[in-house]
Structures are given as C-alpha cells and as structure tokens.
Amino acid sequence: MTPGGAGVAQRHDQPTGGPAGRIGIGYEPGGAPGARSAVVDGPYGGNDGMYAPDDASYGPVMASRTGDDGTDRGAAPEIGADLASHTADEVLADYLHQQSADFLRSLRLHRESGSDAESAGEAARQLRRAARRISATLHTFRPLTEEAWADQLRAELGWLSGTLAREQACAARRERLMAALQRLTGRGPERSDRGDRTGRGERGKRGDRTTTGPATSSAASPAASSAAPAGDPDPDGALSAGAARAGALLDRQLTLARTRAHSAALQALGSSRFHAVADSVAVLASEAPLARTTAELPADEALPPLAEQAHRRLAEAVAALPLSRAGYPYNAAALAADQRQDAPWHQVRMLVRLSRYAREVIAPECSDLRLAEAGRALEWHRDAAEAAAAAAAAARTPRIAPATAYALGVLHADQRHEVEAARFAFGRVWLPRTPDRKS
C-alpha cells in the first residue's frame, strides 16, 4: 500500500458501474465492466431514512426555474451563508472529514453489534450512507481533488456498498412481494371471507381430476390457469389456488439469495481489499486528497459552478424521460418489463442523489424539498421494478404448476403498475405547476 492510503486496489474482475460515459448504478443489471460508479449505490440504498426527514427539518426550499421555452430547469444551487468566507479547500475538507468520521463510526458499531442482526443492519445502512456521500462528493468536485486517488476510492466504495446492500435488498424485496400477494389474493377486510372460502374450495377439489364443474376448472386445466382465461367464472379462485405456492417459491428463492448475500458480505468485511478501503477512509478523515490549487480558490467561486453542473446533468436527463406520457395515470407505458425503459429512470435517480449531495456541501442549511420528493418517487420506482423482475424470474422456474405461474404473472403485473404509478408521482413532483395542469 502506498503512503497516504493511495494503495486501494482496483480489481479488474469487479464491474462497478453502468455504461461508459454515464453515471453508474452500482451492481444493478446493465453495467458495463470497467465503468466506474459515480455514486456509491446498492439496491435499497436510499431506504435509510435519508429521503424521509420531518418537514420541520428542512431549511428554505430552493425556488425552481423555468426557461424561456417553458422547460423546467430545476432549482439553482444556493450558496451557504458562510461559503464566501472560506476557501474551497476548507469547505470540501470539512465535509469529507465529517462523512469519513461517520463511516468509521458506523464500521465500529457494525463490529461491536456481534450477533445482533438489527444493530448490524442499521450500522451497515449508516456506513453505506456515508460511503455514498463521500463518493458523490469526490465525483462532483473531482477537478478540485487528486483525481487518480479519488477515482480509486470511489470505485472501491462502490464495491463495498453494493456488497453490503444485497442482503437488505433481498429481505425488503421478499417483504414487498409477500405483502403484494396477500393484497392480491383478497386477504383485506373487504374480501377476506370470499378469498378464504374460494381457497378452501380449490384445495378440497385439487385431487379430483375428473370433476368438470366451474369451481375446479381453473385449478384442473393447465391452459386455463396459466393464461388467466376470460371465460373462467372465478379468476380470483385461480389466483388463490396458486398464490400459496407462488409465495413459497419466492420465499425460498429470496431467502437463499439473502443467505448468499450475507455470506458474501461477511467475506468482504474480512478481506484485505476491505481493509485497504478502511485505511483510505481513515486517511481521508484527517487529510483530504485535494489539489494544491484548491486552497487558493474562494469557495463561493469554485464550488457553486460544479454543483450547478451536477444539477444541469440532472435536468438534461429528466428532459429525456417520457414525462408527457407518464403524467397521465393508467397510461400502461410501464407495464412491459424492459430494462432499457427502466434504465433512464434509474439514471435520473442517481443524478438526483448527486445534486442533493452537492447541495449539502455548498448549502447545508438549505434543502430542496422537491429533490427529496423526487428521490422518494424514484426509490419507489426502483423497488417496484426489481420486485417485478424477481416475480418474473420465479415464473421462469422449470416445472411449476400453471396456477403458480398465473399467480406470479399477476404479481409481476401488479409491480409493473407500481412502476407506472411511481413515474406518475415523479412527474407530478418535477414538472412545474401551470394553470392548465390540475394539481
């Protein structure tokens, strides 16, 4: 390891980002090997409360800007009250020291948690929270840092955060899908009696292959069950017949994935690669790797243009989204499961984070409420898209019963509807209010 912690190794066999030239999305599908992740992110990395503060915790909300063509430009980064009296070196170093100290504190709490899974999970979330902010800051203000060192540390933080996030992702996805199955099968107050009665009728007649009555047609006929036929007099019965097995299949697959993710996390935390990352963050906590010229630049002149550049990239990415169609409810544009149509939305989610973290650096007392709301909608979008993908993967399991496949198909469609709803919510948050647009 080289002096100053600059010896963080970059393994050639660890893909860490999305397509070259774009902000990476952690370990998520679609990443091109070798491309760095600008924002450290794993699945469910945003569910640590960062997007759900009390309204009273927000400072002044930044005003949005609208261009001459009516296109929303978002909020201009405001300059903090004390920024003019400091150099860029002082502001950046103070923020990086703070986040590095949080990283090391969370790491210590994780080690001390022992067999307490809840405490270990909370410590891991706080660790990833600090890692994301360090990585985002090194990316946004990269011209003011020692670029080679910063790029290495960002890549390694991306590997660590993605590895630690997988276990929580599997647990949260399982809970989401189990809750959706219960809702779809009529376990709610208004349909519980009907769902239970239908389920018992199907189970009682499952073994009678010669019965041709309407009550058993969906369970006995593979074609009817797999295709959710329009002629089935009781489609809810077909769903109830396969929901239990679908839930068991999802539980088995996601529990296995969570166990493997837990083992991978433990292996990562004991590796020499992790110790190199921790050493580098420890160095960062006392001495930030900033360029020499940074100490000579006024903070109010050097930092806001880079934060504005991050927000401009966000505005351009949002402009490429089909918000005009997503702004109409029940438009069915998101029902087709296609990673290519989801990828731009995931990209915007990462850029929202970059913009939020840049504002934390230059104006910690001012928060953009709209960015926080947009982040929540895009986290919802990501969660639903990944849950739908899990349901589709389970439906491809060989030799499953037609009723089970039908239940998984309904579950998949339900989660894609959630994707559509999240896109609609994001558009309502992001697009400016106009007289002809009803609130």
Side-chain angles (χ1 to χ4, degrees):
M1 179 172 177
T2 58
V8 179
Q10 171 69 42
R11 284 175 50 180
H12 69 279
D13 59 341
Q14 292 288 343
T16 55
R22 301 183 65 188
I23 305 303
I25 55 174
Y27 82 94
E28 298 177 22
R36 291 188 179 94
S37 175
V39 178
V40 174
D41 181 57
Y44 300 85
N47 295 342
D48 55 3
M50 55 173 287
Y51 281 130
D54 295 332
D55 292 341
S57 68
Y58 279 101
V61 178
M62 300 182 185
S64 62
R65 299 174 297 162
T66 303
D68 296 336
D69 57 354
T71 304
D72 183 42
R73 303 302 186 190
E78 293 184 2
I79 299 176
D82 299 331
L83 202 61
S85 60
H86 294 84
T87 64
D89 177 272
E90 293 172 340
V91 174
L92 276 181
D94 181 68
Y95 186 81
L96 289 172
H97 293 338
Q98 177 185 350
Q99 299 305 323
S100 300
D102 289 345
F103 181 98
L104 297 174
R105 187 181 306 110
S106 301
L107 180 58
R108 184 182 70 252
L109 292 176
H110 189 276
R111 289 172 174 171
E112 294 174 352
S113 62
S115 59
D116 188 346
E118 183 176 354
S119 298
E122 179 60 26
R125 281 190 290 272
Q126 294 299 322
L127 187 149
R128 290 191 281 99
R129 180 180 182 273
R132 286 195 301 271
R133 282 162 168 77
I134 295 172
S135 181
T137 303
L138 294 177
H139 171 78
T140 301
F141 302 101
R142 184 174 181 268
L144 304 178
T145 67
E146 294 180 6
E147 297 180 356
W149 194 93
D151 290 346
Q152 270 190 321
L153 181 56
R154 275 175 33 222
E156 294 301 279
L157 287 173
W159 160 75
L160 176 63
S161 182
T163 302
L164 295 180
R166 290 188 180 97
E167 181 180 0
Q168 182 194 358
C170 294
R173 195 172 302 133
R174 177 190 174 278
E175 292 178 3
R176 181 186 185 92
L177 290 171
M178 294 301 106
L181 267 178
Q182 291 181 357
R183 170 171 48 83
L184 291 171
T185 51
R187 300 299 183 183
E190 72 281 2
R191 296 176 59 194
S192 58
D193 293 339
R194 179 185 177 187
D196 290 343
R197 182 168 59 251
T198 303
R200 286 194 299 269
E202 292 298 333
R203 286 193 296 270
K205 298 182 180 180
R206 185 177 301 160
D208 187 2
R209 299 292 183 179
T210 62
T211 303
T212 58
T216 59
S217 59
S218 60
S221 172
S225 300
S226 61
D232 189 347
D234 189 6
D236 288 345
L239 180 58
S240 297
R245 292 185 179 182
L249 176 61
L250 286 169
D251 179 72
R252 183 166 61 253
Q253 291 183 348
L254 292 175
T255 300
L256 177 60
R258 181 181 182 181
T259 301
R260 290 174 175 173
H262 181 72
S263 300
L266 292 179
Q267 184 178 3
L269 291 174
S271 66
S272 59
R273 185 180 182 185
F274 166 75
H275 290 298
V277 176
D279 289 346
S280 294
V281 175
V283 171
L284 187 62
S286 58
E287 182 180 356
L290 303 178
R292 294 181 179 180
T293 56
T294 307
E296 305 171 359
L297 299 174
D300 58 346
E301 295 180 7
L303 301 182
L306 295 174
E308 170 66 20
Q309 185 180 19
H311 188 77
R312 187 165 56 249
R313 288 195 298 266
L314 169 61
E316 292 172 354
V318 172
L321 295 177
L323 289 185
S324 59
R325 182 168 185 177
Y328 293 95
Y330 310 111
N331 58 75
L335 297 188
D338 187 352
Q339 290 184 1
R340 291 174 297 179
Q341 75 155 288
D342 290 338
W345 297 86
H346 296 323
Q347 180 79 4
V348 169
R349 178 174 59 87
M350 305 313 304
L351 292 171
V352 165
R353 280 186 173 175
L354 280 177
S355 187
R356 288 187 69 246
Y357 297 159
R359 291 168 191 269
E360 286 184 6
V361 175
I362 66 173
E365 71 280 3
C366 297
S367 299
D368 190 336
L369 182 58
R370 191 180 64 160
L371 274 183
E373 293 288 344
R376 272 196 294 269
L378 292 172
E379 294 288 346
W380 175 18
H381 176 277
R382 188 273 315 278
D383 294 349
E386 292 185 345
R396 290 191 290 269
T397 303
R399 297 184 300 278
I400 61 175
T404 305
Y406 170 53
L408 290 169
V410 172
L411 182 60
H412 174 268
D414 174 75
Q415 292 303 303
R416 292 308 300 184
H417 275 293
E418 292 284 319
V419 170
E420 179 185 328
R423 293 179 183 180
F424 175 76
F426 174 80
R428 299 280 289 181
V429 170
W430 188 266
L431 293 177
R433 294 290 185 263
T434 58
D436 60 341
R437 182 180 177 85
K438 298 180 180 180
S439 58

mmCIF file of all heavy atoms in Angstrom, residues 112 176 264 281 341 362 388:
data_model
loop_
_atom_site.group_PDB
_atom_site.id
_atom_site.type_symbol
_atom_site.label_atom_id
_atom_site.label_comp_id
_atom_site.label_asym_id
_atom_site.label_seq_id
_atom_site.Cartn_x
_atom_site.Cartn_y
_atom_site.Cartn_z
ATOM 1 N N GLU A 112 -19.073 -4.075 16.666
ATOM 2 C CA GLU A 112 -19.497 -4.282 18.039
ATOM 3 C C GLU A 112 -20.889 -4.902 18.139
ATOM 4 O O GLU A 112 -21.280 -5.340 19.223
ATOM 5 C CB GLU A 112 -19.485 -2.941 18.777
ATOM 6 C CG GLU A 112 -18.090 -2.346 18.945
ATOM 7 C CD GLU A 112 -18.134 -0.956 19.562
ATOM 8 O OE1 GLU A 112 -19.263 -0.411 19.716
ATOM 9 O OE2 GLU A 112 -17.061 -0.421 19.883
ATOM 10 N N ARG A 176 -41.908 -7.062 0.403
ATOM 11 C CA ARG A 176 -42.765 -6.353 -0.543
ATOM 12 C C ARG A 176 -43.628 -7.339 -1.332
ATOM 13 O O ARG A 176 -44.834 -7.134 -1.508
ATOM 14 C CB ARG A 176 -41.889 -5.524 -1.479
ATOM 15 C CG ARG A 176 -42.661 -4.719 -2.510
ATOM 16 C CD ARG A 176 -41.719 -4.044 -3.501
ATOM 17 N NE ARG A 176 -42.468 -3.197 -4.399
ATOM 18 C CZ ARG A 176 -42.703 -1.910 -4.198
ATOM 19 N NH1 ARG A 176 -42.240 -1.312 -3.112
ATOM 20 N NH2 ARG A 176 -43.403 -1.197 -5.064
ATOM 21 N N ALA A 264 -21.498 -13.358 1.455
ATOM 22 C CA ALA A 264 -20.615 -12.512 0.655
ATOM 23 C C ALA A 264 -20.209 -11.260 1.425
ATOM 24 O O ALA A 264 -19.056 -10.807 1.345
ATOM 25 C CB ALA A 264 -21.305 -12.125 -0.657
ATOM 26 N N VAL A 281 -10.169 5.491 3.906
ATOM 27 C CA VAL A 281 -11.153 6.378 4.527
ATOM 28 C C VAL A 281 -10.589 6.967 5.815
ATOM 29 O O VAL A 281 -10.865 8.130 6.143
ATOM 30 C CB VAL A 281 -12.461 5.617 4.786
ATOM 31 C CG1 VAL A 281 -13.456 6.487 5.549
ATOM 32 C CG2 VAL A 281 -13.079 5.171 3.469
ATOM 33 N N GLN A 341 -36.134 0.418 -20.811
ATOM 34 C CA GLN A 341 -37.023 1.528 -20.482
ATOM 35 C C GLN A 341 -36.881 1.939 -19.027
ATOM 36 O O GLN A 341 -37.150 3.085 -18.673
ATOM 37 C CB GLN A 341 -38.482 1.187 -20.789
ATOM 38 C CG GLN A 341 -39.142 0.241 -19.815
ATOM 39 C CD GLN A 341 -40.651 0.415 -19.780
ATOM 40 O OE1 GLN A 341 -41.177 1.384 -19.264
ATOM 41 N NE2 GLN A 341 -41.343 -0.548 -20.375
ATOM 42 N N ILE A 362 -22.390 22.780 -0.415
ATOM 43 C CA ILE A 362 -22.318 24.243 -0.572
ATOM 44 C C ILE A 362 -23.379 24.980 0.240
ATOM 45 O O ILE A 362 -23.231 26.168 0.507
ATOM 46 C CB ILE A 362 -22.445 24.636 -2.059
ATOM 47 C CG1 ILE A 362 -23.831 24.296 -2.598
ATOM 48 C CG2 ILE A 362 -21.357 23.968 -2.879
ATOM 49 C CD1 ILE A 362 -24.068 24.802 -4.000
ATOM 50 N N ALA A 388 -40.738 -6.677 -9.532
ATOM 51 C CA ALA A 388 -41.336 -7.269 -10.726
ATOM 52 C C ALA A 388 -40.358 -8.227 -11.399
ATOM 53 O O ALA A 388 -40.746 -9.300 -11.872
ATOM 54 C CB ALA A 388 -41.757 -6.166 -11.704
#
